Amino acid sequence: MRRKLVAGNWKMQGRQESNAALLQALRLHEAEWAGVDMWVAPPSTYLLQVAEMVRGSAIGVAAQDVSGAGDGARTGEISAGMLVDCGCKAVIVGHSERRTFGLELDGVVAEKFAKAQEAGLVPILCVGETLAEREAGVTASVVQRQLDAVLQLTGVRALAQAVVAYEPVWAIGTGRTATPEQAQEVHALLRACVAREDAAVASGLRILYGGSVKAANAPALFAMADIDGALVGGASLDAGEFVAIARAARAAQ
Ligand code: PEP
């Protein structure tokens, strides 16, 4: 059985005071979501604060990005080893906002994935199509290409220690969610791609859905066979919403 995971991507939002209030509320309600995994991904400036505040709780800390290089001459970048040193257990790689605004290509994302794993972090690999790609009917080939870039660099066994997030770009921060059926179709396709190379890895792989997940739509998404949780942006900044999403994950487990 795949344990459900809800991961909150705070993006470029938060201050020490609001972070503390949010984490206190998540911890206060821990009994309601116990049994599922909950990770939060604050901006890197707050990783140490968050790691300190979640100590002794079941909340895990993830970073939002990592360098594809090791320690050294990369001004402004943060290495995987530094993230581990700051208390991270996971890191998001290939988020569509990095692919779009940071112009990250598949090969760069794959290098980040590999560097994260080498350091002992769990990469959360984001894949997803734009609206134009969905309308052109190329969703399947886009997400397969994004996944393949990682598989070619690291091999399929690397996915045994990773998480994949299907995030249709048109659903991120737009309030427009993929229907559970649309999401399930892509999740099943991704799992089948992995299964062609290793059935055991595919059946253990957690594939999260991301894109305007809220307490109201989470139960229907989590009811789908291949949806193992959610990567949540906006709603993860609201403790009540995020706890309700985690409760829905627990109920679906
Ligand atoms: C995200 O940023 O990964 C995301 C899914 O955002 P939102 O939930 O706000 O659509």
Side-chain angles (χ1 to χ4, degrees):
M1 194 189 76
R2 296 183 295 269
R3 188 176 162 101
K4 291 264 193 292
L5 163 64
V6 293
N9 175 13
W10 294 2
K11 308 197 187 194
M12 194 167 68
Q13 288 160 128
R15 290 289 185 273
Q16 292 189 54
E17 201 178 327
S18 59
N19 300 341
L22 178 53
L23 292 168
Q24 267 155 16
L26 297 178
R27 290 195 66 160
L28 189 68
H29 293 277
E30 200 166 318
E32 296 171 38
W33 53 266
V36 302
D37 287 332
M38 177 185 281
W39 299 349
V40 294
S44 52
T45 46
Y46 299 121
L47 285 170
L48 283 173
Q49 181 206 6
V50 171
E52 179 60 34
M53 281 210 65
V54 302
R55 188 165 300 155
S57 81
I59 301 171
V61 184
Q64 297 177 14
D65 189 26
V66 64
S67 176
D71 290 353
R74 286 285 196 288
T75 302
E77 294 194 20
I78 298 173
S79 72
M82 291 170 182
L83 296 180
V84 171
D85 195 37
C86 287
C88 290
K89 66 182 303 171
V91 59
I92 298 169
V93 296
H95 190 280
S96 65
E97 287 155 13
R98 302 244 25 103
R99 292 180 190 263
T100 305
F101 305 124
L103 303 180
E104 281 180 18
L105 301 175
D106 294 339
V108 171
V109 174
E111 279 164 15
K112 291 183 172 200
F113 182 105
K115 270 284 177 286
Q117 264 196 341
E118 270 171 39
L121 294 166
V122 176
I124 305 172
L125 170 68
C126 298
V127 299
E129 81 288 3
T130 62
L131 185 57
E133 289 165 338
R134 173 157 284 264
E135 286 173 350
V138 295
T139 298
S141 60
V142 169
V143 298
Q144 277 176 55
R145 188 202 73 222
Q146 293 169 333
L147 181 65
D148 275 351
V150 169
L151 290 177
Q152 273 167 24
L153 184 69
T154 63
V156 69
R157 297 287 316 160
L159 287 183
Q161 306 298 334
V163 171
V164 171
Y166 168 54
E167 298 210 305
V169 180
W170 48 271
I172 297 179
T174 58
R176 195 178 156 189
T177 323
T179 64
E181 294 74 21
Q182 281 173 322
Q184 167 61 26
E185 190 182 357
V186 180
H187 282 229
L189 171 104
L190 288 165
R191 200 177 303 286
C193 288
V194 179
R196 275 200 293 275
E197 297 196 31
D198 191 315
V201 170
S203 77
L205 177 66
R206 292 194 286 189
I207 307 179
L208 311 182
Y209 168 76
S212 298
V213 174
K214 297 186 176 48
N217 57 28
L221 288 161
F222 294 158
M224 306 311 282
D226 289 292
I227 299 184
D228 306 310
L231 181 55
V232 185
S236 72
L237 295 168
D238 178 325
E241 276 286 309
F242 197 47
V243 165
I245 292 167
R247 271 203 311 263
R250 176 169 141 146
Q253 190 139 273

